[in-house]
Amino acid sequence: QLHMRKFNNEDTITIEPWRSAAFPVIRDLMVNRNAFDQIQQAGGYVSFNCGGAPDANDIPISKEVADVAMDSATCIGCGACVAACKNGSAMLFVSAKVSQFALLPQGQVERARRARAMVRKMDELGFGNCTNTGACAAECPKNVPLSNIARLNREFIKAKFAD
Ligand code: SF4
């Protein structure tokens, strides 16, 4: 995937794959982002029947909270955050997936188990640690905010205390 913001005539453009230890290069510019699928499979779902879509004015959360959950759910799993991070961290991706459920009633039943399982899988797959540089959020095409990482850290710590 090639994303050029701006360049001048005669500029040298270097093209390289989205490098990260957890995203092995398959060929040329192609990388394998299956690691994201594995993290999603570890906990990025709701495993019970939560019924049909409720009327908008029946939802027991405020619009502000619903908007933050929706903003988190816009993550497309592109991997730009990992490639931009000097540590190869997947915290912005995982925080978006955990946040979209942690903020909604449907996500409460498996909330602690989800945070533990997704962070454990992320660590197993060789992603680096987050050192709060902010490069991930700066490059994210969906503007997933860094505040989600703070929420993921809170979710994980609460989940560990619930162990
Ligand atoms: S860069 Fe943004 S949209 Fe892409 S995987 Fe990361 S958080 Fe999701």
Side-chain angles (χ1 to χ4, degrees), residues 25-55:
V25 175
I26 299 170
R27 182 180 172 187
D28 301 331
L29 297 178
M30 289 171 59
V31 296
N32 181 349
R33 296 202 305 275
N34 174 265
F36 270 6
D37 295 336
Q38 292 184 57
I39 294 172
Q40 190 72 4
Q41 286 162 6
Y45 52 82
V46 173
S47 63
F48 58 90
N49 184 352
C50 52
D55 289 339

Side-chain angles (χ1 to χ4, degrees), residues 31-98:
V31 296
N32 181 349
R33 296 202 305 275
N34 174 265
F36 270 6
D37 295 336
Q38 292 184 57
I39 294 172
Q40 190 72 4
Q41 286 162 6
Y45 52 82
V46 173
S47 63
F48 58 90
N49 184 352
C50 52
D55 289 339
N57 56 3
D58 280 349
I59 296 176
I61 54 170
S62 67
K63 177 166 181 350
E64 289 74 25
V65 174
D67 285 347
V68 176
M70 199 61 191
D71 289 346
S72 301
T74 60
C75 168
I76 52 175
C78 63
C81 48
V82 175
C85 176
K86 66 176 183 171
N87 307 318
S89 169
M91 284 289 278
L92 195 66
F93 167 77
V94 176
S95 71
K97 302 304 177 189
V98 165

Side-chain angles (χ1 to χ4, degrees), residues 2-160:
L2 182 61
H3 184 66
M4 288 192 288
R5 298 236 160 101
K6 55 188 171 194
F7 59 94
N8 300 314
N9 287 341
E10 312 284 325
D11 275 355
T12 300
I13 299 172
T14 303
I15 301 174
E16 52 183 304
W18 280 359
R19 291 183 190 284
S20 169
F23 290 166
V25 175
I26 299 170
R27 182 180 172 187
D28 301 331
L29 297 178
M30 289 171 59
V31 296
N32 181 349
R33 296 202 305 275
N34 174 265
F36 270 6
D37 295 336
Q38 292 184 57
I39 294 172
Q40 190 72 4
Q41 286 162 6
Y45 52 82
V46 173
S47 63
F48 58 90
N49 184 352
C50 52
D55 289 339
N57 56 3
D58 280 349
I59 296 176
I61 54 170
S62 67
K63 177 166 181 350
E64 289 74 25
V65 174
D67 285 347
V68 176
M70 199 61 191
D71 289 346
S72 301
T74 60
C75 168
I76 52 175
C78 63
C81 48
V82 175
C85 176
K86 66 176 183 171
N87 307 318
S89 169
M91 284 289 278
L92 195 66
F93 167 77
V94 176
S95 71
K97 302 304 177 189
V98 165
S99 291
Q100 78 180 75
F101 292 114
L103 291 165
L104 296 177
Q106 296 91 327
Q108 300 311 305
V109 176
E110 294 159 307
R111 183 171 176 172
R113 192 200 66 78
R114 176 181 303 111
R116 280 194 302 267
M118 294 184 82
V119 168
R120 188 185 312 122
K121 182 56 75 175
M122 172 180 73
D123 290 343
E124 267 174 37
L125 292 168
F127 290 100
N129 293 322
C130 172
T131 52
N132 285 318
T133 64
C136 53
E139 293 300 326
C140 174
K142 305 305 284 186
N143 296 320
V144 171
L146 274 182
S147 55
N148 276 8
I149 293 182
R151 183 178 301 102
L152 173 59
N153 284 329
R154 288 195 299 273
E155 291 293 318
F156 183 70
I157 290 168
K158 277 194 282 184
K160 291 304 282 180

